[in-house]
Amino acid sequence: MLNDLNPANWDIDWSQVLMASFALFVGLTIAYIIFRIAFAIIGRLTKMSETEVDELIVDRIRSPIKWSFLAIGVTLAAQANQELGRFWEPLAQFLRPALLGWIAFNFVKALTAVLELRMDAYGDPVAMRSRRTRIAVLSRTATFAIIIITVGLMLFSIPSVQAIGTTLLASAGLAALAVGAAAQPALKSLIAGLQVALTEPMRLGDMVKVDGETGRVEEIHMSFVKVRTWDERAVIVPTSRFLDDSFENWSRKSEMLTGPVFLHLDPAAEVAPIRKEFEQFVTSHELHDGRTVALLMTEAYPESIELRLSMSAATIGDLWTLRCDTREHMIDWLRLNMPDALIRHRLELPGGRPKAGEAAAPN
């Protein structure tokens, strides 16, 4: 038993090992030299270009291309040396799809970065949000497909997995049903993400209101959308929710909106002075865009009236600030100039007893 563990008794042809090592060294060296020469030429060509696009793509795919060159060098050496090929070929069947998937993955990421750099040429913020949304969703879809295909090819290079696949193919009907049932949520999310990219019910940066929450669309994934509210909370909404249910998009075409401020006043209040003050304040405000300024009495009740003060601004944030300033200004103006217009709830008793601490009126 101990004699079997003695390296001297191992049946190893060291000459074959040396030849295989030499072939491996030569193959790796030649492949690395060719890689350096090729990328030196490509680097010179990219530096001659006026844009950064070429350099960005080359930098992203440099690492996977280098390892692919080395793998090709080992493959060529394995064809020349049978002993090396006996060890390399099973491993190469597993590495080839991994390297191809790595190259495709980095190429998609590089192309995404290039498209995002070119968005600076779009002056229209709506067009920019539309382009960003399509780039984000389609790049994630391509990445998801590359990962699934790469992992599948890598697994099918394993003989035991191939045997399982052959068994499943023998019962294709049951396998299709099982795969369809298991992949239904993933396929639904994938289709929903593609629909969002193509139909664009909302885009990155849009102001939306969903489930009673209002905020900006910060991220769009295949399975969920992250909405950032004004108080910095992140609301996570399933992507399919935006296609199955209704929601509000406040910046679908532009951020120019009209917003109201409601005042509930005493029915005896004069509306004309209030309208004059409101129009004067809003038209002179720096955030007003000059489109809308109107005061209407929208309701009249026995104990109060409702005035709707409409105004507009260039952006949603400006409109919010303008409404807050208008509300504060009008309440202060009414309190100083028309205090009787403010609603008060009193209980008056003729001949009632005076309040504590007050002297009784003389007879």
Side-chain angles (χ1 to χ4, degrees), residues 43-75:
R44 289 181 176 272
L45 294 177
T46 55
K47 289 181 179 179
M48 295 172 60
S49 177
E50 297 180 355
T51 64
E52 300 179 357
V53 173
D54 301 334
E55 294 182 5
L56 182 60
I57 294 178
V58 171
D59 289 340
R60 291 295 182 94
I61 65 174
R62 181 186 297 272
S63 294
I65 291 294
K66 179 181 71 174
W67 289 104
S68 298
F69 266 80
L70 295 178
I72 293 173
V74 177
T75 301

mmCIF file of all heavy atoms in Angstrom, residues 43-75:
data_model
loop_
_atom_site.group_PDB
_atom_site.id
_atom_site.type_symbol
_atom_site.label_atom_id
_atom_site.label_comp_id
_atom_site.label_asym_id
_atom_site.label_seq_id
_atom_site.Cartn_x
_atom_site.Cartn_y
_atom_site.Cartn_z
ATOM 1 N N GLY A 43 -5.130 50.199 -30.879
ATOM 2 C CA GLY A 43 -4.991 51.385 -30.036
ATOM 3 C C GLY A 43 -4.566 52.609 -30.818
ATOM 4 O O GLY A 43 -5.054 53.719 -30.574
ATOM 5 N N ARG A 44 -3.650 52.435 -31.767
ATOM 6 C CA ARG A 44 -3.242 53.569 -32.601
ATOM 7 C C ARG A 44 -4.396 54.077 -33.448
ATOM 8 O O ARG A 44 -4.572 55.292 -33.631
ATOM 9 C CB ARG A 44 -2.067 53.167 -33.497
ATOM 10 C CG ARG A 44 -0.758 52.976 -32.743
ATOM 11 C CD ARG A 44 0.372 52.591 -33.690
ATOM 12 N NE ARG A 44 1.636 52.492 -32.995
ATOM 13 C CZ ARG A 44 2.477 53.492 -32.794
ATOM 14 N NH1 ARG A 44 2.163 54.702 -33.260
ATOM 15 N NH2 ARG A 44 3.616 53.321 -32.159
ATOM 16 N N LEU A 45 -5.189 53.146 -33.975
ATOM 17 C CA LEU A 45 -6.332 53.556 -34.801
ATOM 18 C C LEU A 45 -7.380 54.289 -33.982
ATOM 19 O O LEU A 45 -7.976 55.266 -34.446
ATOM 20 C CB LEU A 45 -6.943 52.325 -35.478
ATOM 21 C CG LEU A 45 -6.057 51.610 -36.515
ATOM 22 C CD1 LEU A 45 -6.758 50.363 -37.046
ATOM 23 C CD2 LEU A 45 -5.712 52.550 -37.670
ATOM 24 N N THR A 46 -7.621 53.823 -32.753
ATOM 25 C CA THR A 46 -8.623 54.493 -31.919
ATOM 26 C C THR A 46 -8.169 55.883 -31.487
ATOM 27 O O THR A 46 -8.994 56.794 -31.338
ATOM 28 C CB THR A 46 -8.928 53.639 -30.677
ATOM 29 O OG1 THR A 46 -7.702 53.358 -29.972
ATOM 30 C CG2 THR A 46 -9.600 52.344 -31.064
ATOM 31 N N LYS A 47 -6.860 56.068 -31.260
ATOM 32 C CA LYS A 47 -6.373 57.387 -30.892
ATOM 33 C C LYS A 47 -6.483 58.374 -32.036
ATOM 34 O O LYS A 47 -6.570 59.589 -31.818
ATOM 35 C CB LYS A 47 -4.919 57.290 -30.427
ATOM 36 C CG LYS A 47 -4.754 56.603 -29.077
ATOM 37 C CD LYS A 47 -3.293 56.559 -28.642
ATOM 38 C CE LYS A 47 -3.160 55.885 -27.287
ATOM 39 N NZ LYS A 47 -1.739 55.799 -26.839
ATOM 40 N N MET A 48 -6.476 57.875 -33.274
ATOM 41 C CA MET A 48 -6.652 58.753 -34.426
ATOM 42 C C MET A 48 -8.099 59.189 -34.597
ATOM 43 O O MET A 48 -8.370 60.152 -35.313
ATOM 44 C CB MET A 48 -6.173 58.035 -35.690
ATOM 45 C CG MET A 48 -4.688 57.741 -35.708
ATOM 46 S SD MET A 48 -4.198 56.699 -37.113
ATOM 47 C CE MET A 48 -4.717 57.720 -38.487
ATOM 48 N N SER A 49 -9.010 58.502 -33.929
ATOM 49 C CA SER A 49 -10.423 58.851 -34.040
ATOM 50 C C SER A 49 -10.714 60.103 -33.226
ATOM 51 O O SER A 49 -10.086 60.377 -32.200
ATOM 52 C CB SER A 49 -11.296 57.687 -33.555
ATOM 53 O OG SER A 49 -12.660 58.035 -33.585
ATOM 54 N N GLU A 50 -11.710 60.875 -33.671
ATOM 55 C CA GLU A 50 -12.069 62.123 -32.993
ATOM 56 C C GLU A 50 -13.005 61.886 -31.801
ATOM 57 O O GLU A 50 -13.171 62.777 -30.974
ATOM 58 C CB GLU A 50 -12.732 63.082 -33.987
ATOM 59 C CG GLU A 50 -11.806 63.507 -35.130
ATOM 60 C CD GLU A 50 -12.497 64.442 -36.083
ATOM 61 O OE1 GLU A 50 -13.719 64.673 -35.897
ATOM 62 O OE2 GLU A 50 -11.831 64.942 -37.000
ATOM 63 N N THR A 51 -13.633 60.747 -31.715
ATOM 64 C CA THR A 51 -14.574 60.463 -30.643
ATOM 65 C C THR A 51 -13.969 59.480 -29.650
ATOM 66 O O THR A 51 -12.979 58.798 -29.936
ATOM 67 C CB THR A 51 -15.883 59.873 -31.206
ATOM 68 O OG1 THR A 51 -15.599 58.610 -31.825
ATOM 69 C CG2 THR A 51 -16.488 60.810 -32.235
ATOM 70 N N GLU A 52 -14.596 59.403 -28.476
ATOM 71 C CA GLU A 52 -14.158 58.479 -27.436
ATOM 72 C C GLU A 52 -14.841 57.121 -27.531
ATOM 73 O O GLU A 52 -14.602 56.254 -26.700
ATOM 74 C CB GLU A 52 -14.444 59.086 -26.054
ATOM 75 C CG GLU A 52 -13.736 60.398 -25.811
ATOM 76 C CD GLU A 52 -14.071 60.972 -24.451
ATOM 77 O OE1 GLU A 52 -14.902 60.350 -23.741
ATOM 78 O OE2 GLU A 52 -13.519 62.023 -24.099
ATOM 79 N N VAL A 53 -15.687 56.949 -28.528
ATOM 80 C CA VAL A 53 -16.476 55.727 -28.628
ATOM 81 C C VAL A 53 -15.574 54.515 -28.843
ATOM 82 O O VAL A 53 -15.708 53.483 -28.162
ATOM 83 C CB VAL A 53 -17.510 55.853 -29.766
ATOM 84 C CG1 VAL A 53 -18.217 54.525 -29.986
ATOM 85 C CG2 VAL A 53 -18.495 56.963 -29.452
ATOM 86 N N ASP A 54 -14.636 54.625 -29.790
ATOM 87 C CA ASP A 54 -13.766 53.492 -30.113
ATOM 88 C C ASP A 54 -12.926 53.068 -28.911
ATOM 89 O O ASP A 54 -12.800 51.876 -28.617
ATOM 90 C CB ASP A 54 -12.860 53.842 -31.296
ATOM 91 C CG ASP A 54 -13.652 54.199 -32.542
ATOM 92 O OD1 ASP A 54 -14.787 53.710 -32.647
ATOM 93 O OD2 ASP A 54 -13.144 54.956 -33.382
ATOM 94 N N GLU A 55 -12.343 54.038 -28.225
ATOM 95 C CA GLU A 55 -11.509 53.715 -27.070
ATOM 96 C C GLU A 55 -12.327 53.061 -25.960
ATOM 97 O O GLU A 55 -11.850 52.143 -25.275
ATOM 98 C CB GLU A 55 -10.842 54.987 -26.543
ATOM 99 C CG GLU A 55 -9.839 55.601 -27.511
ATOM 100 C CD GLU A 55 -9.171 56.820 -26.924
ATOM 101 O OE1 GLU A 55 -9.427 57.118 -25.737
ATOM 102 O OE2 GLU A 55 -8.399 57.480 -27.635
ATOM 103 N N LEU A 56 -13.552 53.528 -25.778
ATOM 104 C CA LEU A 56 -14.397 52.959 -24.735
ATOM 105 C C LEU A 56 -14.730 51.500 -25.021
ATOM 106 O O LEU A 56 -14.649 50.639 -24.131
ATOM 107 C CB LEU A 56 -15.687 53.778 -24.622
ATOM 108 C CG LEU A 56 -16.673 53.352 -23.535
ATOM 109 C CD1 LEU A 56 -16.024 53.434 -22.167
ATOM 110 C CD2 LEU A 56 -17.925 54.220 -23.586
ATOM 111 N N ILE A 57 -15.073 51.186 -26.270
ATOM 112 C CA ILE A 57 -15.399 49.802 -26.625
ATOM 113 C C ILE A 57 -14.170 48.908 -26.508
ATOM 114 O O ILE A 57 -14.239 47.789 -25.975
ATOM 115 C CB ILE A 57 -15.989 49.756 -28.053
ATOM 116 C CG1 ILE A 57 -17.334 50.476 -28.097
ATOM 117 C CG2 ILE A 57 -16.154 48.316 -28.519
ATOM 118 C CD1 ILE A 57 -17.958 50.531 -29.473
ATOM 119 N N VAL A 58 -13.022 49.399 -26.982
ATOM 120 C CA VAL A 58 -11.799 48.594 -26.928
ATOM 121 C C VAL A 58 -11.393 48.317 -25.489
ATOM 122 O O VAL A 58 -10.988 47.199 -25.136
ATOM 123 C CB VAL A 58 -10.670 49.308 -27.698
ATOM 124 C CG1 VAL A 58 -9.334 48.612 -27.462
ATOM 125 C CG2 VAL A 58 -10.983 49.341 -29.196
ATOM 126 N N ASP A 59 -11.515 49.312 -24.613
ATOM 127 C CA ASP A 59 -11.148 49.108 -23.205
ATOM 128 C C ASP A 59 -12.048 48.073 -22.539
ATOM 129 O O ASP A 59 -11.587 47.305 -21.686
ATOM 130 C CB ASP A 59 -11.224 50.437 -22.448
ATOM 131 C CG ASP A 59 -10.115 51.389 -22.851
ATOM 132 O OD1 ASP A 59 -9.102 50.913 -23.397
ATOM 133 O OD2 ASP A 59 -10.266 52.613 -22.639
ATOM 134 N N ARG A 60 -13.332 48.058 -22.904
ATOM 135 C CA ARG A 60 -14.257 47.125 -22.269
ATOM 136 C C ARG A 60 -14.026 45.680 -22.705
ATOM 137 O O ARG A 60 -14.210 44.756 -21.916
ATOM 138 C CB ARG A 60 -15.701 47.536 -22.587
ATOM 139 C CG ARG A 60 -16.143 48.834 -21.913
ATOM 140 C CD ARG A 60 -16.172 48.687 -20.409
ATOM 141 N NE ARG A 60 -16.637 49.889 -19.745
ATOM 142 C CZ ARG A 60 -17.902 50.109 -19.382
ATOM 143 N NH1 ARG A 60 -18.816 49.177 -19.602
ATOM 144 N NH2 ARG A 60 -18.246 51.235 -18.791
ATOM 145 N N ILE A 61 -13.641 45.471 -23.967
ATOM 146 C CA ILE A 61 -13.515 44.099 -24.462
ATOM 147 C C ILE A 61 -12.066 43.613 -24.446
ATOM 148 O O ILE A 61 -11.786 42.494 -24.884
ATOM 149 C CB ILE A 61 -14.080 43.979 -25.894
ATOM 150 C CG1 ILE A 61 -13.256 44.818 -26.876
ATOM 151 C CG2 ILE A 61 -15.538 44.370 -25.941
ATOM 152 C CD1 ILE A 61 -13.657 44.628 -28.325
ATOM 153 N N ARG A 62 -11.123 44.422 -23.935
ATOM 154 C CA ARG A 62 -9.718 44.032 -23.948
ATOM 155 C C ARG A 62 -9.474 42.748 -23.146
ATOM 156 O O ARG A 62 -8.823 41.810 -23.622
ATOM 157 C CB ARG A 62 -8.851 45.161 -23.396
ATOM 158 C CG ARG A 62 -7.361 44.847 -23.383
ATOM 159 C CD ARG A 62 -6.598 45.965 -22.696
ATOM 160 N NE ARG A 62 -6.734 47.213 -23.425
ATOM 161 C CZ ARG A 62 -5.937 47.588 -24.422
ATOM 162 N NH1 ARG A 62 -4.948 46.789 -24.804
ATOM 163 N NH2 ARG A 62 -6.116 48.743 -25.016
ATOM 164 N N SER A 63 -9.983 42.683 -21.923
ATOM 165 C CA SER A 63 -9.724 41.523 -21.061
ATOM 166 C C SER A 63 -10.299 40.228 -21.627
ATOM 167 O O SER A 63 -9.574 39.224 -21.733
ATOM 168 C CB SER A 63 -10.270 41.784 -19.658
ATOM 169 O OG SER A 63 -9.553 42.822 -19.029
ATOM 170 N N PRO A 64 -11.578 40.177 -22.014
ATOM 171 C CA PRO A 64 -12.072 38.905 -22.569
ATOM 172 C C PRO A 64 -11.397 38.509 -23.871
ATOM 173 O O PRO A 64 -11.195 37.320 -24.128
ATOM 174 C CB PRO A 64 -13.571 39.163 -22.774
ATOM 175 C CG PRO A 64 -13.725 40.634 -22.798
ATOM 176 C CD PRO A 64 -12.669 41.168 -21.892
ATOM 177 N N ILE A 65 -11.016 39.485 -24.697
ATOM 178 C CA ILE A 65 -10.311 39.169 -25.941
ATOM 179 C C ILE A 65 -8.937 38.576 -25.635
ATOM 180 O O ILE A 65 -8.474 37.632 -26.294
ATOM 181 C CB ILE A 65 -10.188 40.421 -26.825
ATOM 182 C CG1 ILE A 65 -11.567 40.829 -27.353
ATOM 183 C CG2 ILE A 65 -9.241 40.168 -27.988
ATOM 184 C CD1 ILE A 65 -12.192 39.847 -28.309
ATOM 185 N N LYS A 66 -8.260 39.113 -24.614
ATOM 186 C CA LYS A 66 -6.941 38.593 -24.259
ATOM 187 C C LYS A 66 -7.032 37.119 -23.852
ATOM 188 O O LYS A 66 -6.256 36.274 -24.333
ATOM 189 C CB LYS A 66 -6.345 39.419 -23.117
ATOM 190 C CG LYS A 66 -4.974 38.926 -22.663
ATOM 191 C CD LYS A 66 -4.436 39.755 -21.521
ATOM 192 C CE LYS A 66 -5.220 39.495 -20.243
ATOM 193 N NZ LYS A 66 -4.625 40.198 -19.083
ATOM 194 N N TRP A 67 -7.967 36.814 -22.979
ATOM 195 C CA TRP A 67 -8.103 35.420 -22.552
ATOM 196 C C TRP A 67 -8.587 34.525 -23.684
ATOM 197 O O TRP A 67 -8.257 33.338 -23.724
ATOM 198 C CB TRP A 67 -9.052 35.348 -21.364
ATOM 199 C CG TRP A 67 -8.451 35.925 -20.116
ATOM 200 C CD1 TRP A 67 -8.719 37.134 -19.536
ATOM 201 C CD2 TRP A 67 -7.449 35.314 -19.299
ATOM 202 N NE1 TRP A 67 -7.965 37.328 -18.422
ATOM 203 C CE2 TRP A 67 -7.164 36.220 -18.243
ATOM 204 C CE3 TRP A 67 -6.758 34.111 -19.352
ATOM 205 C CZ2 TRP A 67 -6.228 35.929 -17.253
ATOM 206 C CZ3 TRP A 67 -5.820 33.828 -18.368
ATOM 207 C CH2 TRP A 67 -5.560 34.726 -17.343
ATOM 208 N N SER A 68 -9.340 35.079 -24.608
ATOM 209 C CA SER A 68 -9.756 34.285 -25.775
ATOM 210 C C SER A 68 -8.564 33.963 -26.664
ATOM 211 O O SER A 68 -8.444 32.840 -27.183
ATOM 212 C CB SER A 68 -10.823 35.046 -26.565
ATOM 213 O OG SER A 68 -11.974 35.268 -25.789
ATOM 214 N N PHE A 69 -7.663 34.922 -26.848
ATOM 215 C CA PHE A 69 -6.438 34.665 -27.610
ATOM 216 C C PHE A 69 -5.619 33.573 -26.946
ATOM 217 O O PHE A 69 -5.080 32.676 -27.624
ATOM 218 C CB PHE A 69 -5.615 35.955 -27.722
ATOM 219 C CG PHE A 69 -5.885 36.740 -28.971
ATOM 220 C CD1 PHE A 69 -6.995 37.557 -29.077
ATOM 221 C CD2 PHE A 69 -5.022 36.649 -30.052
ATOM 222 C CE1 PHE A 69 -7.237 38.282 -30.216
ATOM 223 C CE2 PHE A 69 -5.261 37.368 -31.214
ATOM 224 C CZ PHE A 69 -6.382 38.186 -31.301
ATOM 225 N N LEU A 70 -5.499 33.643 -25.629
ATOM 226 C CA LEU A 70 -4.725 32.621 -24.918
ATOM 227 C C LEU A 70 -5.387 31.249 -25.054
ATOM 228 O O LEU A 70 -4.690 30.229 -25.223
ATOM 229 C CB LEU A 70 -4.598 33.002 -23.448
ATOM 230 C CG LEU A 70 -3.800 34.278 -23.152
ATOM 231 C CD1 LEU A 70 -3.797 34.572 -21.666
ATOM 232 C CD2 LEU A 70 -2.372 34.163 -23.680
ATOM 233 N N ALA A 71 -6.707 31.214 -24.994
ATOM 234 C CA ALA A 71 -7.408 29.934 -25.158
ATOM 235 C C ALA A 71 -7.205 29.377 -26.564
ATOM 236 O O ALA A 71 -7.032 28.167 -26.753
ATOM 237 C CB ALA A 71 -8.898 30.113 -24.867
ATOM 238 N N ILE A 72 -7.218 30.259 -27.568
ATOM 239 C CA ILE A 72 -6.959 29.799 -28.940
ATOM 240 C C ILE A 72 -5.541 29.269 -29.062
ATOM 241 O O ILE A 72 -5.287 28.243 -29.730
ATOM 242 C CB ILE A 72 -7.207 30.956 -29.928
ATOM 243 C CG1 ILE A 72 -8.693 31.319 -29.944
ATOM 244 C CG2 ILE A 72 -6.736 30.574 -31.333
ATOM 245 C CD1 ILE A 72 -9.010 32.551 -30.770
ATOM 246 N N GLY A 73 -4.563 29.953 -28.417
ATOM 247 C CA GLY A 73 -3.190 29.471 -28.460
ATOM 248 C C GLY A 73 -3.044 28.092 -27.835
ATOM 249 O O GLY A 73 -2.345 27.224 -28.378
ATOM 250 N N VAL A 74 -3.733 27.859 -26.709
ATOM 251 C CA VAL A 74 -3.676 26.541 -26.083
ATOM 252 C C VAL A 74 -4.349 25.498 -26.973
ATOM 253 O O VAL A 74 -3.875 24.352 -27.085
ATOM 254 C CB VAL A 74 -4.332 26.590 -24.692
ATOM 255 C CG1 VAL A 74 -4.352 25.201 -24.060
ATOM 256 C CG2 VAL A 74 -3.590 27.568 -23.792
ATOM 257 N N THR A 75 -5.434 25.872 -27.618
ATOM 258 C CA THR A 75 -6.132 24.934 -28.511
ATOM 259 C C THR A 75 -5.240 24.515 -29.675
ATOM 260 O O THR A 75 -5.175 23.330 -30.044
ATOM 261 C CB THR A 75 -7.430 25.565 -29.036
ATOM 262 O OG1 THR A 75 -8.267 25.913 -27.924
ATOM 263 C CG2 THR A 75 -8.177 24.599 -29.943
#
